[in-house]
Amino acid sequence: MDESTEAEPIGVGIIGAGPVTQAIHLPTLSRLGDTFRVRHIMDTDPGVAKSVAGRAGASWSTTAHDLLLDPAVDVVAVCSPQQFHAEQVIAACQAGKRAVLCEKPFATSAEEAQQIANIAAEMGTPIIVGAMHTFDPAWLAIQDSWADFPARVHTVRSSILLPPNSTFEDVSTEVVGRPALNRPGPGNDADRIADGIMGLAIHDLPLVRRFLPTHRDVDVHFAKSVAPSGYQVVMDASGRTIELHAMMSANWQPSWVLEAIADDQALHIEFTPSYVHAGSARVELRSSQRTVVLGPFSHNGYEGEWRHLAEVVRGSSPRQPIDSLVDDLEFALSIANQAATCVRQSAGALG
Amino acid sequence: MSALTVRAEPGSISPGRIPETLATLPESLRLTDDHADIIAVLGDAGWSHRALSGIRSGARGVMVVNPCIEEVRELRTEANAASVPVVLDTSWVHNPAVAAVSEQLRRIANTGALVESTVTLDAEMTDETAILAQLVLIRATVGAVRRVDFWESDEHGYRAFGHLESATDIAVSAIRTNAYPPSARLRVVGRDELAELSVPAPSTATSALAVSANTEEQAVHPTPFESAHRSAWRRLHSVTTTGVPVADLSSFAEDAVTARRILSRSGSSETS
């Protein structure tokens, strides 16, 4: 029996009980039932809070304040709309919780991110951002095999082709209180592309940043919002060319690929779709002489992030430096802002 | 939608990954320790008696995970009389891709094709449970195995050749390895077309791969990212609430006869 099954389960409180909580976190925590117990669910919709809490035999409330007062809650997962993330992460730290897992992005500005960093440091609270690909076991494993490969990469390419989220939500759970599908989205192409970067590209941007000596010199050359939902972005950073492509469509077959290419080696990562527990990515590191293949492993990044949280809480794994999380956010925000500006300028030139 | 309660007998939690699976159907099914609408039993020796006890205690539905060979006549009779569906969660058949492509597989198989069924097994799965699960998959896709002409088995797996009810040749094999998770592959090769179905382990939501090809083109068919265990539970919920009869036990009884006949042979043999 390993340590995680010997110790008392870690009590989890979840702020926000929408599709991500229902389809991702509750099924994942069920797979880790020896390690975690869901103790408290908060949602502003009392019907959703009560229903989702009932699935886990947990308490429920309609305010984050009530959840944070619950002594059964050891760690907090912040899964609310992103504009509330910073406030709720900070409140969880101040409440003395043992760790906070926050969905991405964990703040909406660099200033907010820095406030979180300050309070987390003051309270000693580990912060984990739910960027699941950064916890994918195949992604983690290849880093032991690639030596100085990141320093030699000249091109990074992220390509995401996905069916609608409901395709995967509906085989992961039975969603209650699903937000209306026809709710208004961002009003123009500039807002749409910023939304796409912060909502979709952000899954892979911490991985992209792994191939850059610094994220502060990113320069977007081209950006285009693709109807009905997608983006095309070309940029450079630290002398690397970076391409970001994404498209949501009714096509049934998902494809989620990240590539990093050097003159003599190329990395190809094929991730499994969001929501479902379909194992880890499959990673190939190729050269002219050989191909190293890692994965797929049995668990995915969602399970990986919760496993990591347990290890951090129990002291068996070092916490990720929060400065690195702030840098991830600054990188994403810089790309989103530049891409939006690029789209606005293109529209202005055409007009 | 009203949730049905589920009671899993002690020991059945891990092998069928029942809590994990029920967590993906939270509006339909709820685990309980008390008297429940549905009982889940492990398919080891004595499962049919335990399922029968559950029906006599008032269960409205029964799930059996990985059943071994057993006499099911009494269970079938009482389940039918009480209109209680008994769903057998064997390893492969409930992957949702099976139902999606079975018509095409069967059509090609009926043209005098060759059918190849290969499964990979981990150390925990017995020959008996494996051949049963394989026969169930074969029946659901290309039709029941009627005759086995050759059979051999060893610690690394088993190999068999025979015929389907349609007289189509079939090659059946199992290979033991822990190198990768258990899986099943079924390929139907016709004169000018083929179809192939690769099914992952029942606990993963990895999608199956369904491919067909002819002299002109190759097509990859849509397959959902839903685990076979979830699909089996979704089916049990559906038939329990709608009252649609299921034939799992009838088919199982026939497949169990075939499996018992195969397994009773030792080493290589050729009999009809």
Side-chain angles (χ1 to χ4, degrees):
Chain A
M1 185 179 289
D2 65 24
E3 183 195 352
S4 63
T5 55
E6 286 175 351
E8 187 73 13
I10 298 166
V12 178
I14 302 180
I15 298 175
V20 167
T21 290
Q22 295 176 44
I24 294 174
H25 292 298
L26 291 184
T28 301
L29 290 166
S30 173
R31 297 167 72 91
L32 299 169
D34 292 335
T35 308
F36 293 101
R37 290 280 188 285
V38 179
R39 300 296 191 192
H40 200 125
I41 297 285
M42 172 267 165
D43 197 273
T44 53
D45 181 328
V48 170
K50 183 178 180 183
S51 170
V52 174
R55 299 174 176 186
S59 307
W60 64 275
S61 62
T62 56
T63 69
H65 180 72
D66 286 344
L67 180 142
L68 295 175
L69 286 177
D70 187 339
V73 173
D74 300 310
V75 300
V76 176
V78 176
C79 307
S80 53
Q82 60 178 271
Q83 64 267 31
F84 303 115
H85 285 182
E87 170 193 341
Q88 291 166 345
V89 171
I90 288 170
C93 293
Q94 289 173 327
K97 298 305 179 185
R98 297 169 68 188
V100 181
L101 186 154
C102 183
E103 273 301 330
K104 58 205 158 304
F106 78 125
T108 57
S109 68
E111 293 73 27
E112 280 186 352
Q114 197 53 56
Q115 288 171 21
I116 292 173
N118 293 342
I119 197 74
E122 180 186 331
M123 300 300 295
T125 314
I127 307 291
I128 291 163
V129 175
M132 75 281 196
H133 288 171
T134 63
F135 296 96
D136 187 291
W139 161 253
L140 295 173
I142 195 65
Q143 295 177 46
D144 293 331
S145 304
W146 69 20
D148 65 342
F149 170 69
R152 292 182 286 107
V153 164
H154 57 66
T155 303
V156 184
R157 187 174 191 274
S158 161
S159 174
I160 305 170
L161 175 61
L162 291 176
N165 284 345
S166 58
T167 304
F168 302 113
E169 291 169 359
D170 291 342
V171 291
S172 302
T173 191
E174 295 163 306
V175 177
V176 296
R178 194 196 302 271
L181 292 175
N182 59 353
R183 65 187 161 151
N188 57 53
D189 281 352
D191 291 343
R192 263 193 290 278
I193 200 163
D195 204 47
I197 300 297
M198 295 308 290
L200 190 54
I202 199 166
H203 289 88
D204 287 348
L205 291 178
L207 284 64
V208 172
R209 202 169 72 78
R210 185 70 178 79
F211 302 104
L212 307 177
T214 175
H215 66 284
R216 298 184 194 281
D217 60 352
V218 62
D219 182 20
V220 173
H221 306 166
F222 174 82
K224 183 178 182 181
S225 176
V226 180
S229 180
Y231 53 78
Q232 305 282 327
V233 178
V234 179
M235 57 195 177
D236 72 60
S238 301
R240 276 78 165 165
T241 299
I242 303 167
E243 298 178 35
L244 306 176
H245 307 274
M247 180 73 171
M248 304 283 279
S249 78
N251 192 324
W252 73 273
Q253 192 170 42
S255 170
W256 194 317
V257 173
L258 179 70
E259 296 167 288
I261 298 152
D263 286 339
D264 58 346
Q265 279 183 302
L267 180 73
H268 181 101
I269 309 176
E270 186 135 8
F271 290 102
T272 49
S274 303
Y275 296 96
V276 295
H277 282 278
S280 80
R282 182 179 185 278
V283 178
E284 283 186 7
L285 183 59
R286 300 181 63 178
S287 68
S288 60
Q289 302 298 317
R290 65 173 191 154
T291 301
V292 174
V293 179
L294 294 176
F297 299 100
S298 61
H299 75 267
N300 64 9
Y302 297 125
E303 198 172 322
E305 68 197 30
W306 280 102
R307 288 180 182 214
H308 176 69
L309 185 146
E311 290 167 2
V312 168
V313 165
R314 290 175 173 163
S316 59
S317 182
R319 65 185 67 179
Q320 186 178 7
I322 192 144
D323 289 348
S324 171
L325 300 177
V326 175
D327 288 348
D328 284 342
L329 184 73
E330 284 182 352
F331 182 50
L333 286 169
S334 175
I335 296 168
N337 291 337
Q338 288 190 52
T341 301
C342 199
V343 167
R344 275 190 211 100
Q345 287 171 345
S346 297
L350 289 172
Chain B
M1 186 191 301
S2 60
L4 300 178
T5 52
V6 177
R7 183 173 57 81
E9 67 176 9
S12 63
I13 296 296
S14 176
R17 295 180 181 256
I18 290 172
E20 289 176 29
T21 308
L22 298 193
T24 68
L25 292 163
E27 296 297 301
S28 300
L29 299 162
R30 299 280 171 94
L31 206 54
T32 178
D33 294 329
D34 299 328
H35 178 78
D37 299 308
I38 290 173
I39 61 158
V41 301
L42 252 187
D44 56 354
W47 66 263
S48 61
H49 290 292
R50 300 198 299 279
L52 197 55
S53 298
I55 292 173
R56 288 171 179 167
S57 300
R60 296 169 56 196
V62 178
M63 176 66 82
V64 183
V65 182
N66 289 333
C68 65
I69 296 175
E70 283 207 348
E71 175 54 55
V72 295
R73 189 177 303 135
E74 187 180 8
L75 173 61
R76 185 168 38 147
T77 300
E78 291 210 19
N80 288 343
S83 298
V84 174
V86 177
V87 167
L88 306 182
D89 186 12
T90 55
S91 289
W92 322 114
V93 74
H94 281 101
N95 187 294
V98 173
V101 300
S102 60
E103 188 177 324
Q104 183 174 28
L105 293 167
R106 189 177 296 248
R107 180 183 58 74
I108 301 174
N110 286 339
T111 64
L114 170 65
V115 176
E116 300 166 309
S117 169
T118 303
V119 297
T120 54
L121 312 174
D122 58 24
E124 293 173 5
M125 203 162 186
T126 64
D127 278 1
E128 180 179 320
T129 308
I131 189 70
L132 261 173
Q134 200 166 4
L135 290 171
V136 170
L137 173 65
I138 292 167
R139 173 188 290 275
T141 49
V142 294
V145 172
R146 187 185 66 183
R147 203 179 83 167
V148 173
D149 299 320
F150 172 83
W151 163 267
E152 68 176 20
S153 67
D154 54 34
E155 69 271 28
H156 302 302
Y158 56 74
R159 297 148 292 279
F161 294 91
H163 305 280
L164 301 176
E165 284 175 337
S166 60
T168 300
D169 289 337
I170 183 165
V172 176
S173 65
I175 300 165
R176 289 191 184 282
T177 178
N178 290 323
Y180 48 91
S183 60
R185 185 165 60 92
L186 193 132
R187 184 165 65 175
V188 186
V189 185
R191 183 180 300 274
D192 55 9
E193 61 182 330
L194 68 80
E196 183 167 350
L197 174 66
S198 299
V199 179
S203 57
T204 180
T206 302
S207 64
L209 178 63
V211 179
S212 63
N214 57 30
T215 56
E216 305 287 322
E217 61 188 3
Q218 184 184 50
V220 180
H221 302 275
T223 51
F225 285 79
E226 182 181 39
S227 75
H229 283 321
R230 185 181 196 267
S231 172
W233 277 100
R234 199 161 45 74
R235 174 170 170 250
L236 178 57
H237 179 273
S238 173
V239 295
T240 302
T241 53
T242 62
V244 173
V246 297
D248 290 34
L249 288 173
S250 302
S251 300
F252 178 86
E254 294 177 20
D255 290 331
V257 169
T258 305
R260 191 177 281 127
R261 210 166 54 218
I262 291 172
L263 293 166
S264 66
R265 298 175 177 182
S266 58
S268 303
S269 63
E270 286 198 38
T271 57
S272 60

